Amino acid sequence: MGAGHAHTLHHAGDSVVHRLPAHVKIVAAFVMVVAVVATPREAFWVFGAHLLLLVAIWVAARLPVAAIAARSLIEAPFVVLAVLLPFFATGPRTEFLGLSLSVDGLLAGWNILVKGTLGVLVSVTLGMTTPVRDLLAGLTRLRVPGLVTTIATLMVRYLEVIAAEARRMRLARVARGHDPRFLWQIGPTIRGIGTLFLRSYERGERVHLAMLARGYTGAMPLLGDGTTSRRSWTLALVPAAAAVLLATAGYA
Amino acid sequence: MTTELVGMHMSDGIVNAPVSLGFGVVAILGLAVCVARARRDLDDRTAPLAGLVAAFVFAVQMLNFPVLPGVSGHLLGGALTAILVGPYVGALCVAIVLVLQALLFADGGLSALGTNITNMALIGTFVGFAVAVAMRPLARRSRAGLLLTAFVAAWVNTVVASMGFVVEYALGGQGLALGTVFGLMAGFHALIGIGEGIITALTVGAVAAVRPDLVYLLRGQRSELTLRTAAVR
């Protein structure tokens, strides 16, 4: 799994993109990503057009490009895989700067690099324009079972609490001279994780009692009137439809 | 500069669209079963307990362990959650963590959610738990047995989850010969699995020492009251 996450992506704003309902944006993002993945890897210009589409959305949402770039770095490990592919893949080979590279590997590496990057950019755009609680409410609108979204909501709400607890435990260990460098020095860290699990679980029991005391019946109330205007759907699905058309054009 | 040794979320574009969508369906069906069974395990306590366990999994993935000077790694947590809270709640928690990492942090591609959930949440927790159940008699016998069970479960779970990736790559990936992918993934994850196994074993040991009643794997076991003598000074 990926590295630690300190902050969510959200970038406050009130542009058209920010104001679209979250569930509409989630659907649009999924359609766009699948369209990008379905684009044939030899259709190079189509990927450029996909990028232009995203740039247009960023302009409409007034997102700073530097922040988008910084948040896309999460993809970096896969760039390594893409760079390695031309060396390890089989098939006919070509010479480039004295290196023997596999043609199929080059294409496969390019495929992962470009689709991975565009995919991350779509995810980052969705994350930056949608607050966390709206994303969760959006998932409920999309018929994700209430139990799942409630678990996700509580997880997001308590993540900071649990993470802060973990930080305080680490600080306490460091203050007492714990400076682990080798795998066999992790005893105290692990006892800390055991304690962290117990505290999380017991906090869960207390949260459950607190929820019961406030009238919890097994489902969270859904806020908002639950109707989505046709205009919102059209607005969000225009770029998604454009991406699908581009992908189809790539096969021609 | 430190190097992080981690198993990774797949990004978009590693496997093609039909295979991504196919595994999306597998993931949804698997999670539907998990939701139903998790409710049976925890009834109306499901949401708060699973929510907090998911937050725990998320927080633990932020902690880095030293492996060697300059190289650190972190826990994946599939086998750990399966042993502590059971495979159904465990798979649900890991899956929710994966979905939120993709939606909130852009970690792991949206189209790769199906494959990532299948590998890490479904295969990850269920294979780990199956191994743990097979070794349960040993785990009940002694603390060393419990630690060994947790270690083996976590190691097998890490390697088998990476084989999920190999299967998906065979179905919808391009470029590398299958033997190369298999060798790279098996070798890399056999190493990662050792770290995962050690951390899982010691964490389960730490929990079992304080609240053995919370360890799902050991449920239904009545521990006998033991009288010990201690020196009084």
Side-chain angles (χ1 to χ4, degrees):
Chain A
M1 289 191 195
H5 301 291
H7 299 286
T8 57
L9 297 169
H10 187 235
H11 181 89
D14 67 340
S15 69
V16 187
V17 186
H18 282 86
R19 274 183 277 129
L20 279 175
H23 58 295
V24 176
K25 277 188 276 187
I26 295 174
V27 171
F30 267 96
V31 172
M32 279 189 88
V33 169
V34 171
V36 166
V37 173
T39 307
R41 60 186 184 177
E42 290 87 358
F44 302 111
W45 69 271
V46 177
F47 294 107
H50 282 310
L51 184 64
L52 282 180
L53 207 54
L54 276 169
V55 171
I57 297 176
W58 297 336
V59 171
R62 289 194 283 280
L63 294 179
V65 174
I68 297 172
R71 283 156 188 187
S72 304
L73 283 179
I74 192 137
E75 193 221 1
F78 276 92
V79 176
V80 179
L81 178 64
V83 170
L84 286 179
L85 269 170
F87 295 97
F88 288 102
T90 50
R93 303 186 84 81
T94 180
E95 289 283 325
F96 180 72
L97 296 177
L99 297 169
S100 166
L101 302 173
S102 153
V103 175
D104 196 36
L106 276 174
L107 276 174
W110 150 257
N111 186 51
I112 291 179
L113 192 63
V114 72
K115 291 181 181 175
T117 309
L118 285 169
V120 163
L121 291 175
V122 173
S123 301
V124 167
T125 310
L126 173 66
M128 283 181 81
T129 55
T130 323
V132 176
R133 59 165 196 286
D134 288 7
L135 277 173
L136 293 169
L139 289 178
T140 314
R141 287 275 149 73
L142 292 172
R143 306 280 155 84
V144 172
L147 181 66
V148 175
T149 47
T150 310
I151 294 175
T153 309
L154 285 163
M155 189 213 118
V156 168
R157 195 164 295 172
Y158 283 96
L159 177 62
E160 278 301 306
V161 178
I162 306 289
E165 191 141 21
R167 270 197 298 277
R168 287 195 297 278
M169 289 160 95
R170 187 188 152 270
L171 203 59
R173 283 194 303 274
V174 171
R176 285 158 181 77
H178 189 228
D179 179 23
R181 286 195 199 144
F182 297 94
L183 191 57
W184 52 86
Q185 295 172 329
I186 56 173
T189 319
I190 288 190
R191 277 191 290 282
I193 292 193
T195 310
L196 192 66
F197 172 77
L198 291 175
R199 288 185 186 172
S200 307
Y201 199 89
E202 285 167 355
R203 189 185 291 275
E205 290 174 336
R206 293 197 301 277
V207 169
H208 172 239
L209 291 178
M211 285 163 75
L212 287 184
R214 286 157 180 78
Y216 177 66
T217 54
M220 298 295 267
L222 189 63
L223 303 175
D225 61 356
T227 54
T228 311
S229 68
R230 184 163 299 177
R231 186 179 159 272
S232 307
W233 279 110
T234 322
L235 210 55
L237 288 179
V238 162
V244 172
L245 281 179
L246 282 171
T248 342
Y251 284 96
Chain B
M1 166 148 174
T2 57
T3 314
E4 258 202 75
L5 193 67
V6 288
M8 297 180 292
H9 296 327
M10 286 164 73
S11 70
D12 294 304
I14 303 264
V15 297
N16 63 23
V19 173
S20 303
L21 293 176
F23 277 96
V25 174
V26 171
I28 289 173
L29 292 180
L31 289 180
V33 176
C34 290
V35 169
R37 295 294 299 262
R39 233 191 272 260
R40 202 189 297 175
D41 276 351
L42 293 173
D43 57 73
D44 72 328
R45 298 182 307 150
T46 310
L49 285 182
L52 269 288
V53 171
F56 163 78
V57 172
F58 211 119
V60 162
Q61 289 185 7
M62 295 179 181
L63 290 177
N64 280 317
F65 291 94
V67 178
L68 289 168
V71 181
S72 70
H74 74 85
L75 195 67
L76 307 179
L80 177 65
T81 40
I83 290 173
L84 291 179
V85 296
Y88 299 105
V89 180
L92 197 56
C93 291
V94 176
I96 289 175
V97 168
L98 289 173
V99 171
L100 291 184
Q101 281 173 339
L103 282 179
L104 309 186
F105 303 98
D107 189 7
L110 290 180
S111 74
L113 260 179
T115 48
N116 279 329
I117 289 176
T118 307
N119 294 345
M120 288 189 267
L122 297 178
I123 302 179
T125 45
F126 281 94
V127 169
F129 193 72
V131 172
V133 167
M135 292 177 69
R136 185 147 55 185
L138 181 68
R140 285 193 165 151
R141 198 171 302 159
S142 67
R143 184 178 154 79
L146 177 65
L147 295 191
L148 185 66
T149 303
F151 176 84
V152 175
W155 188 83
V156 172
N157 150 59
T158 311
V159 175
V160 174
S162 78
M163 291 304 104
F165 173 83
V166 175
V167 170
E168 286 143 16
Y169 197 85
L171 290 172
Q174 298 166 313
L176 287 178
L178 209 54
T180 319
V181 179
F182 176 82
L184 283 176
M185 292 301 282
F188 188 55
H189 284 85
L191 284 178
I192 291 187
I194 295 175
E196 178 86 5
I198 293 173
I199 299 170
T200 303
L202 295 178
T203 310
V204 171
V207 175
V210 190
R211 290 277 308 262
D213 58 312
L214 285 191
V215 181
Y216 187 90
L217 185 68
L218 302 178
R219 263 191 201 174
Q221 179 186 29
R222 295 183 66 84
S223 53
E224 287 170 33
L225 181 67
T226 52
L227 296 176
R228 294 180 193 168
T229 49
V232 180
R233 276 181 282 182

